[in-house]
Amino acid sequence: LHAGHFPQHLETLHRHYCHRRQLAAEMIQTYFPSGTQLQIPEGGFLLWPVLPKPVALTEIRKKALEQRIAFA
């Protein structure tokens, strides 16, 4: 902090996470069921996909965790 590198570090992190969020959005649009809506909140790096119909999340969550993907 005292050396003044923190703003540059924050900018680097911002670019990194924006890029990762964009990649995740592209993957959702490619691999999620047709009709999935994707909400991208302003700020932060989270995504909010809304599936087109109710689904049983137990198996989806299990497969996602096997790929080190977590969701709530």
Side-chain angles (χ1 to χ4, degrees):
L1 289 174
H2 295 290
H5 298 292
F6 192 65
Q8 181 181 357
H9 178 65
L10 285 180
E11 180 60 33
T12 300
L13 289 176
H14 178 73
R15 283 193 312 270
H16 173 76
Y17 283 111
C18 283
H19 178 71
R20 290 178 59 108
R21 183 176 77 170
Q22 182 60 37
L23 288 175
E26 291 172 10
M27 293 296 108
I28 289 170
Q29 292 171 340
T30 300
Y31 295 107
F32 276 45
S34 178
T36 297
Q37 297 176 8
L38 183 60
Q39 300 172 9
I40 303 176
E42 290 186 34
F45 58 92
L46 302 177
L47 301 171
W48 189 271
V50 179
L51 299 174
K53 60 183 177 179
V55 296
L57 290 179
T58 305
E59 189 62 28
I60 293 172
R61 180 169 279 138
K62 179 182 172 189
K63 288 181 180 183
L65 288 174
E66 289 171 359
Q67 298 298 314
R68 297 179 52 193
I69 299 170
F71 59 89

